[in-house]
């Protein structure tokens, strides 16, 4: 947070005194002297009307949310608030929030704060969920962009506007607080904010304003998952002579390939499908090798602040100095259980049951099942600061000069400690799809023993100590930029304005890390507890045990309780843990250091073709130059691609054209042609390659790594929209759009011939990031805001806000042969794109009472790829997702508002699966998240 100086204290004191004086004067004014004031409506309807005004008056195609709108939603941050915006989709619910946002299905969203480029750590974007809703004046979602805006983000751009003192007529104070209860962690969390603002007439002339807006939010969360593992082919009851019944079929036999992993559609799953071994065909079964789950708990704190100082010495000049801060503090324990459901070498299962008409196993019994419990503990801390000094100079009515200097710095650090407990269970009954995608696993006791309840997953005596991991690191970035532009009002018959400008930025990004693991300890968990105490750990060693109760809230046929290592205890006693495992703390090493210089020159002109037809034409030239340095651990199976240093360069001319047609006074049509690009992430440029020798008899090794030769991804964009403002505060609008995307970055493969750790020279299939795919996205979006007039008294104030988005995406993705050559291209959906989504908000705004019920739904969508080493279809898909939220507010007085809100009321199970259309056959993960209920109050004057 910002340190409080004497100057800031004095400013705050003066502001508070002015506010108190104004309030006292108002309270002491005689009734006879009171004047009738204009009533300013600040409810739901007013906020939606302001958003429509922004949309209507913009040259670009945008959607907006204003402060009252966000304040009335049951949302904590920008991402959650945006889920009701037309064309915006949100996903990745977890850890007590929704954290990912896409515009029209694309996730590469450029983010700015007050028009300034912002980022977190060594990344190129800010974590939008770190920005609390309480700091916002409004949010603009740009679906097209002018040439004077930063060019990055092929999906679009989100600009967050914070409050400034000159936005208020005089003194302003707002205090707000909410207590938020989440049912799964069973805790109440605070969310508080305060805004103080004032402006003063100066004796020397002119005006000065100051604003401080602070926020703090704490969240305790608990998410739980159950997952059916990946798929392998296994022999049936009558295998090849060299193998046992239900044994896994190897990738190759006698140096001849048998089956290929990582296929787009997986191995054939119809009854009677065969694989060839030694010239003979054998039928096979597709079985999961594991079932596992997690209970993810944690605590997160987010402090944030915005400070704005504005000075207008005269009518020609306005100077603004601002600071913006977001912080992130997180500690989390991921308690994981994992069990092998069969034994790869001899199967060791009873006769399995398959889905009708397939060779895919649904359930079976297993014996001698190896498994582990893992306690993974991580901490994360981020501090991001942005400082800006800018001026707006208007030397004449026709000339405006804007100039701004911005410096920002962001640093992220993390620590990670994990430990496994292991055992071999007597046996289990497993059903990979027991309850509509949710698996079940019931462990069995050994009838030959009676001293111990072997099926008890929470019994310390059932577990042996196993491996441990000790990692840490972080990343940081800073930048300095200067932007200057000049705009002339030409008052010509055709050309109305001309604007030229430029932007220079110097950006640095570094990444650091350390990591080690050990499997040296041999003993029971009880023995480990004693040894830790002997090595200097605190307490009696019982702090090592973390217990999960009420696992998966009774929604699965599964054990109720299990234990893992308590990661917070491991981290607090790290030296003792390392000592027992024969380790010492490692030093943090630098992984990469990238310096990037970028420059942009732009020119735009606004024109009128007629009284009804206007627009903007612009050209933006951008240039990026990078100096890169990388470091790697030494080892036979690591390699730096090319050199430890490198350079990169990209330049592009980006034209844009927008036409606006006022068809009537209430009907506006728009057309836009724009080009945008996405620069590679700094981490993706890291050329470090890791190679692994074959673990089976397959005749090639594998590898993974980054690529310093990555180029920008480019997009050509077409948009047509029609907006009908048929009543005051009401509108129906729609848009057709298309994105042609070149050079998508995906995980490609190529063959590298090299000598491995085992001394054998062979081909390795290296998976590395490449610009190897092109995509196309087109669609339709429709939005409606409507508050009917002349309703009956009881319904007066009822309105609706609704949106619908229809998308069609395609991507050509290369598929590779065993040798690593491209064998063809597969047409697939683009990642993260739902074909359809919609939201409906029923609003009621009447006198002192506001209410809003919000429903959001999105269709199933492709979410990414599984590792290319299994027999299941390689694509991950997510089932349809929905949410229902409620918010109610009541104005106790003109200054005091009380609120109630609730989120995730449907309490769904969120699920994923392998391959489109395989939600039952190849179900994957199931997750449950908390419902929340909050009571709050806002006081303002």
């Amino acid at each position: 947070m910002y340190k409080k100086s004497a100057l800031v204290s004095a400013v705050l004191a003066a502001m508070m005194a002015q506010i108190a004086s104004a309030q006292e004067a108002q309270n002491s004014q005689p009734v006879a002297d009171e004047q009738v004031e204009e009533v300013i409506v600040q409810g739901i309807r007013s906020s939606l009307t302001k958003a429509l005004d922004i949309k209507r008056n913009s040259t670009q195609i945008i959607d907006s949310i204003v402060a009252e709108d966000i304040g009335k939603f049951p949302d904590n941050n920008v991402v959650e608030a945006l889920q009701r915006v037309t064309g915006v989709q949100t996903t990745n619910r977890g850890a007590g929030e929704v954290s990912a946002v896409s515009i029209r299905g694309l996730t590469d969203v450029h983010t700015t704060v007050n028009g300034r480029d912002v980022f977190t750590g060594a990344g190129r974007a800010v974590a939008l969920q770190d920005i609390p809703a309480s700091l916002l004046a409004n949010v603009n979602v740009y679906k097209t962009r002018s040439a004077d805006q930063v060019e990055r983000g092929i999906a679009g751009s989100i600009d967050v506007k914070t409050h400034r003192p000159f936005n208020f007529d005089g003194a302003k104070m707002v205090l707000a607080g909410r207590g938020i209860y989440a049912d799964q962690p069973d805790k109440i969390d605070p969310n508080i904010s305060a805004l103080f603002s004032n402006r003063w007439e100066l004796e020397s002339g002119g005006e000065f304003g100051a604003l401080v807006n602070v926020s703090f939010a704490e969240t305790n969360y608990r998410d739980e998952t159950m997952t059916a593992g990946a798929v392998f082919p296994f022999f049936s009851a009558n295998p090849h002579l060299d193998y046992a019944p239900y044994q896994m079929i190897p990738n190759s036999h006698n140096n001849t390939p048998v089956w290929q992993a990582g296929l787009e559609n997986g191995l054939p799953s119809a009854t009677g499908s065969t694989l060839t071994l030694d010239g003979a065909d054998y039928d096979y079964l597709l079985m999961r090798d594991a079932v596992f789950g997690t209970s993810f708990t944690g605590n997160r704190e987010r402090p944030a602040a915005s400070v704005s100082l504005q000075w207008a010495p005269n009518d020609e000049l306005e100077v603004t100095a601002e600071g913006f801060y977001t912080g992130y503090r997180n500690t989390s324990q991921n308690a994981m259980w994992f069990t092998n459901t069969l034994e790869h070498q001899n199967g060791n299962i009873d006769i399995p049951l398959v889905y009708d008409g397939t060779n895919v196993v649904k359930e079976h019994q297993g014996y001698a099942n190896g498994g582990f419990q893992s306690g993974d503990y991580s901490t994360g801390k981020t501090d991001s600061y942005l400082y800006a000094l800018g001026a707006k100079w208007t030397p004449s009515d026709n000339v405006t000069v804007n100039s701004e200097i911005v410096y920002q710095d962001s640093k992220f650090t993390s620590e990670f400690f994990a430990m496994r407990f292991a055992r071999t269970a007597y046996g289990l009954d497993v059903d990979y799809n027991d309850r509509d995608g949710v698996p079940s696993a019931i462990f069995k006791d050994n009838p030959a023993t009676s001293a111990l309840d072997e099926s008890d997953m929470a019994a310390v005596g059932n577990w042996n100590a196993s491996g441990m991991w000790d990692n840490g690191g972080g990343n940081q970035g800073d930048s300095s930029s200067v932007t200057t532009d000049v705009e002339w009002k030409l008052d010509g018959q055709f050309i109305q304005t001309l604007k030229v400008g430029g932007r220079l930025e110097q950006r640095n990004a570094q990444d650091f890390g350390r990591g080690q693991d050990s499997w040296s300890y041999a003993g029971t968990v009880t023995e480990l507890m004693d040894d830790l105490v002997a090595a200097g750990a605190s307490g009696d060693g019982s702090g090592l045990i973390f217990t999960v109760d009420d696992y998966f809230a009774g929604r699965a046929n599964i054990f109720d309780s299990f234990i893992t290592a308590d990661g917070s205890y491991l981290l607090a006693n790290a030296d003792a843990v390392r000592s027992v495992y024969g380790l010492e703390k490692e030093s943090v090493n630098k992984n990469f250091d990238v310096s990037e210089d970028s420059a942009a020159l732009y020119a735009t002109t606004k024109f009128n073709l007629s009284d009804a037809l206007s627009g903007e034409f612009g050209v933006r030239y951008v240039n990026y130059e990078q100096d890169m340095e990388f470091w790697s651990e030494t080892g036979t199976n690591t390699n730096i691609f090319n050199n430890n240093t490198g350079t990169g360069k990209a330049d592009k001319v980006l034209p844009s054209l927008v036409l606006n047609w006022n068809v009537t006074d209430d009907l506006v049509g728009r057309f836009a042609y724009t080009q945008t690009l996405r620069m590679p992430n700094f981490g993706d440029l890291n050329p470090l390659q890791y190679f692994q020798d074959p673990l089976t008899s397959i005749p090639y090794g594998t590898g993974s790594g980054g690529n310093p030769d990555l180029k920008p991804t480019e997009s050509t964009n077409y948009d047509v929209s029609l907006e009908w403002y048929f009543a005051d505060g009401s509108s129906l609008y729609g848009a057709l759009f298309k994105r042609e995307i070149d050079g998508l970055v995906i995980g490609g493969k190529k063959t590298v011939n090299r000598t491995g750790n085992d001394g054998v020279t062979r081909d390795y299939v290296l998976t590395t990031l490449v610009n190897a795919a092109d995509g196309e996205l087109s669609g339709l979006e429709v939005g409606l805001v409507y508050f009917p007039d002349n309703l009956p008294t009881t319904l007066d104030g009822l309105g609706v806000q609704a949106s619908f988005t229809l998308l069609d995406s395609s991507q050509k993705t290369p598929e590779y042969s065993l040798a690593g050559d491209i064998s063809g291209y597969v047409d697939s959906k683009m990642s993260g794109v739902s074909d359809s989504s919609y939201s409906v908000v029923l609003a009621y705004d009447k006198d002192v009472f506001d209410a809003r019920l919000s429903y959001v739904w999105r269709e199933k969508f492709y979410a990414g790829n599984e590792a290319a080493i299994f027999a299941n279809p390689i694509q991950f898909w997510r089932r349809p997702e929905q949410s229902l939220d409620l918010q109610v507010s009541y104005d106790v007085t003109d200054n005091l508002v009380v609120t109630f809100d609730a989120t995730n009321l449907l309490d769904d199970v969120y699920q994923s699966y392998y391959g489109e259309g395989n939600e039952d056959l190849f179900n994957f993960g199931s997750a449950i998240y908390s419902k929340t209920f909050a009571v709050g109050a806002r006081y303002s004057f």
Side-chain angles (χ1 to χ4, degrees):
M1 293 291 292
Y2 295 104
K3 294 182 179 179
K4 189 180 292 184
S5 66
L7 176 60
V8 173
S9 298
V11 171
L12 284 174
M15 291 163 60
M16 291 301 297
Q18 184 77 6
I19 292 171
S21 175
Q23 184 73 6
E24 181 180 354
Q26 178 181 346
N27 294 336
S28 63
Q29 185 75 15
V31 175
D33 293 340
E34 287 186 354
Q35 301 294 319
V36 177
E37 294 182 348
E38 178 185 359
V39 176
I40 300 175
V41 180
Q42 293 186 336
I44 297 172
R45 186 169 186 174
S46 173
S47 63
L48 293 176
T49 299
K50 292 178 182 178
L52 289 179
D53 288 342
I54 294 174
K55 180 180 183 71
R56 184 173 190 171
N57 296 324
S58 174
T59 302
Q60 305 297 321
I61 299 176
I62 73 170
D63 282 287
S64 298
I65 305 176
V66 300
E68 296 95 336
D69 201 12
I70 292 177
K72 297 291 186 180
F73 277 137
D75 303 310
N76 296 314
N77 59 53
V78 176
V79 176
E80 294 180 3
L82 287 171
Q83 63 184 323
R84 281 162 287 272
V85 173
T86 306
V88 172
Q89 298 170 325
T90 60
T91 187
N92 288 4
R93 181 179 292 275
E97 63 186 8
V98 178
S99 60
V101 61
S102 63
I103 300 176
R104 295 169 169 173
L106 298 177
T107 57
D108 179 48
V109 177
H110 181 242
T111 51
T112 58
V113 173
N114 296 320
R116 302 161 186 144
D117 196 27
V118 289
F119 55 81
T120 301
R124 288 196 180 274
V126 71
L128 275 174
Q129 62 270 26
D130 285 347
I131 302 177
S134 56
L135 261 61
L136 307 178
N138 66 283
V139 181
N140 294 327
V141 179
Y142 287 88
K143 296 164 181 179
T144 65
R145 270 174 291 173
S146 170
D148 64 359
Q149 294 175 282
V150 177
E151 66 283 347
R152 294 196 296 272
I154 59 176
S157 179
I158 295 176
D159 184 35
V160 176
K161 298 291 188 183
T162 60
H163 297 286
R164 288 174 172 170
F166 284 3
N167 295 146
F168 302 101
D169 292 334
K172 185 71 174 178
M173 182 181 78
V174 180
L175 301 175
R178 296 162 66 218
I180 305 171
Y181 171 77
D183 63 341
Q184 288 188 187
D186 193 25
K187 292 186 178 181
I188 298 176
D189 298 317
N191 187 318
I192 58 176
S193 63
L195 180 146
F196 305 96
S197 180
N198 206 350
R199 52 197 295 179
W200 300 269
E201 296 289 341
L202 302 177
E203 292 182 2
S204 58
E207 192 174 12
F208 176 77
L211 178 146
V212 176
N213 197 178
V214 296
S215 171
F216 175 82
E218 181 179 8
T219 303
N220 286 280
Y221 52 86
R222 175 174 174 173
D223 306 334
E224 297 194 321
T225 68
M226 282 193 65
T227 305
V231 176
F232 289 94
F234 287 79
F235 284 108
S236 64
N238 300 300
H240 186 281
L241 293 177
D242 292 344
Y243 298 93
Y246 307 121
Q247 183 177 349
M248 189 180 79
I249 301 175
N251 293 80
S252 65
H253 184 71
N254 295 330
N255 295 320
T256 300
V258 178
W259 64 277
Q260 182 177 347
L263 295 176
E264 192 78 15
N265 297 314
L267 293 183
S269 57
T271 299
S273 297
T274 61
L275 292 172
T276 302
L277 202 80
D278 289 341
D281 293 334
Y282 294 88
D283 60 353
Y284 61 90
L285 298 173
L286 292 174
M287 279 194 283
R288 318 296 183 102
D289 67 335
V291 174
F292 55 94
T294 64
S295 180
F296 183 58
T297 57
N299 174 274
R300 179 179 59 249
E301 295 179 351
R302 283 198 172 106
S306 176
V307 176
S308 180
L309 305 176
Q310 290 183 290
W311 174 45
N314 51 54
D315 293 338
E316 296 178 356
L317 180 64
E318 182 179 301
V319 179
T320 301
E322 292 185 315
F324 185 74
Y325 165 80
T326 56
Y328 168 87
R329 311 285 186 270
N330 187 75
T331 59
S332 62
Q333 164 91 17
N334 190 38
M336 177 182 182
W337 65 272
F338 181 100
T339 182
N340 292 302
T341 53
L342 42 83
E343 213 284 320
H344 286 187
Q345 296 304 312
N346 55 28
N348 218 13
I349 66 171
D350 289 341
I351 298 174
L353 299 178
V354 299
Y355 295 94
D356 291 342
T358 76
N359 62 3
V360 181
V361 173
K362 181 180 184 294
E363 56 183 298
H364 64 78
Q365 291 185 333
Y367 300 93
N369 304 104
F372 64 83
Q373 321 278 69
S374 181
D376 306 345
Y377 189 79
S378 62
T379 68
K381 177 182 178 182
T382 301
D383 289 296
S384 299
Y385 301 89
L386 183 149
Y387 308 98
L389 177 62
K392 178 181 178 181
W393 180 41
T394 310
S396 70
D397 293 340
N398 296 325
V399 178
T400 301
V401 181
N402 285 280
S403 187
E404 187 172 62
I405 299 173
V406 179
Y407 173 78
Q408 56 182 313
D409 177 81
S410 181
K411 184 176 182 180
F412 169 75
T413 57
S414 66
E415 296 287 340
F416 176 85
F417 234 109
M419 180 180 289
R420 283 187 181 181
F421 301 158
R423 71 166 188 174
T424 299
Y426 170 74
L428 84 163
D429 290 325
V430 60
D431 188 331
Y432 299 110
N433 190 349
D434 179 49
R435 299 182 181 178
D436 190 26
V438 180
S440 68
I442 302 173
F443 287 95
K444 300 185 291 186
D445 292 327
N446 187 347
T449 62
S450 59
L452 198 62
D453 186 357
E454 294 185 358
S455 64
D456 188 355
M457 299 285 280
V460 176
N462 282 344
W463 297 95
N464 295 315
S466 185
M468 61 82 71
W469 291 261
D470 172 21
N471 304 330
N475 56 72
Q476 64 184 39
D478 64 83
S479 75
S480 300
S481 65
V482 58
T483 303
T484 300
D485 57 53
V486 183
E487 183 175 23
W488 291 272
K489 293 181 180 179
L490 302 179
D491 296 328
Q493 184 176 358
F494 176 66
I495 302 298
Q496 300 299 303
T497 67
L498 176 63
K499 184 178 183 180
V500 296
R503 181 176 185 270
L504 297 174
E505 182 183 43
Q506 202 285 317
R507 176 76 198 276
N508 300 296
Q510 299 89 31
D511 185 81
F512 308 87
R514 63 173 182 85
Q516 60 182 345
D517 61 87
S518 175
W519 301 79
S520 64
Y521 189 86
T524 67
V525 170
T526 302
E527 291 170 339
L528 174 61
M529 292 162 60
D530 293 337
D531 290 342
L532 288 175
V533 172
S538 61
D540 60 0
S542 61
L544 177 65
I545 305 303
F546 182 90
T547 303
V548 174
D549 292 317
D550 192 28
Y551 173 59
F552 217 71
R555 299 192 188 194
N557 191 9
I558 195 71
F559 44 84
D560 179 71
S561 181
F562 68 97
I563 63 168
T564 68
D566 190 318
S568 63
Y569 180 85
L570 298 176
L571 190 59
N573 298 278
D575 290 338
V577 176
R578 295 186 187 108
S579 175
V580 170
Y581 277 83
L583 299 175
E584 295 181 355
K585 184 174 182 178
E586 282 192 325
S587 300
V588 174
N589 300 308
K590 184 179 287 188
N591 296 322
F592 66 76
D593 191 338
V594 178
S595 177
E596 179 180 84
D597 295 325
S598 63
L601 296 174
Y602 52 86
T604 67
T605 180
K606 292 184 178 180
F607 55 85
N608 284 343
L609 297 177
S610 67
D611 291 340
L613 188 60
S614 62
E616 179 184 277
F617 173 73
V619 177
R620 186 179 183 92
Y621 168 75
V622 295
N623 175 268
Y624 289 85
E625 294 185 357
Q626 298 162 335
D627 288 320
M628 301 174 282
E629 190 170 7
F630 307 95
W631 293 263
S632 70
E633 58 186 86
T634 58
T636 310
N637 268 14
T638 60
N639 178 57
I640 282 287
F641 175 58
N642 288 341
N643 300 296
N644 285 60
T645 60
T647 59
K649 185 176 181 179
D651 57 1
K652 183 72 175 177
V653 175
L654 304 169
S656 64
L657 172 65
V658 179
L659 295 175
N660 294 330
W661 180 25
N662 294 318
V663 184
T664 69
D665 290 342
D666 300 322
L667 189 64
V668 180
R670 305 182 198 270
F671 166 80
Y673 170 86
T674 57
Q675 292 185 8
T676 50
L677 60 80
R678 174 178 63 195
M679 293 297 295
N681 292 324
F682 294 117
D684 294 343
L685 297 171
N686 190 350
L688 178 61
Q689 298 171 350
Y690 291 95
F691 290 92
Q692 183 171 331
D693 299 334
L695 298 177
T696 65
S697 56
I698 193 168
Y700 58 85
T702 58
S704 62
N707 183 357
D709 294 334
L710 288 176
K711 304 300 181 185
T713 300
E714 300 177 9
S715 177
T716 302
N717 317 310
Y718 307 88
D719 296 83
V720 178
S721 75
L722 194 61
E723 303 160 13
W724 180 29
Y725 300 91
F726 56 87
D728 185 27
S730 297
S731 177
L732 175 65
Y733 48 91
L736 295 170
F737 52 87
K738 184 178 182 180
R739 303 285 183 266
E740 297 175 348
I741 306 170
D742 298 323
L744 283 167
V745 176
I746 64 170
K749 299 184 180 72
K750 64 179 180 180
T751 301
V752 178
N753 189 266
R754 64 189 310 279
T755 302
N757 258 350
D758 55 7
V760 178
T761 300
R762 61 169 69 83
D763 286 341
Y764 287 73
V765 176
L766 172 67
T767 301
T768 187
L769 297 174
V770 291
N771 299 97
D774 296 331
E776 185 175 294
L777 177 76
S778 58
L780 162 72
E781 62 184 24
V782 178
L784 170 69
V785 176
Y786 182 40
F787 280 83
D789 294 325
N790 302 318
L791 289 174
T793 302
T794 55
L795 298 179
D796 185 31
L798 186 67
V800 63
Q801 178 187 15
S803 68
F804 173 76
T805 304
L806 185 67
L807 299 172
D808 181 26
S809 70
S810 63
Q811 177 176 319
K812 284 195 173 295
T813 304
E815 195 162 47
Y816 298 84
S817 67
L818 285 173
D821 299 321
I822 294 178
S823 56
Y825 286 86
V826 176
D827 291 326
S828 67
K829 297 287 187 179
M830 296 182 68
S831 176
V833 178
S834 290
D835 285 351
S836 63
S837 64
Y838 66 87
S839 69
V840 179
V841 180
L842 294 179
Y844 186 74
D845 186 348
K846 178 80 170 183
D847 298 328
V848 297
F849 180 78
D850 290 345
R852 194 181 320 235
L853 184 66
S854 308
Y855 177 77
V856 177
W857 180 89
R858 66 178 300 183
E859 194 176 347
K860 65 183 180 181
F861 60 97
Y862 163 52
N865 282 357
E866 170 67 284
I869 56 176
F870 303 114
N872 44 256
I874 197 171
Q875 291 189 353
F876 280 126
W877 282 74
R878 292 192 186 178
R879 285 192 175 191
E881 296 179 358
Q882 61 179 352
S883 66
L884 181 67
D885 302 335
L886 171 69
Q887 188 275 334
V888 177
S889 68
Y890 178 75
D891 299 344
V892 180
T893 69
D894 290 342
N895 304 111
L896 178 63
V897 179
V898 294
T899 63
F900 169 80
D901 56 70
T903 67
N904 194 30
L905 289 173
L906 299 177
D907 200 18
D908 283 342
V909 177
Y910 289 74
Q911 295 180 307
S912 58
Y913 53 95
Y914 295 115
E916 185 175 9
N918 292 317
E919 54 266 34
D920 295 322
L921 201 62
F922 291 117
N923 58 299
F924 181 62
S926 298
I928 57 175
Y929 306 107
S930 292
K931 300 187 297 292
T932 68
F933 305 91
V935 176
R938 295 194 302 274
Y939 182 75
S940 62
F941 64 86

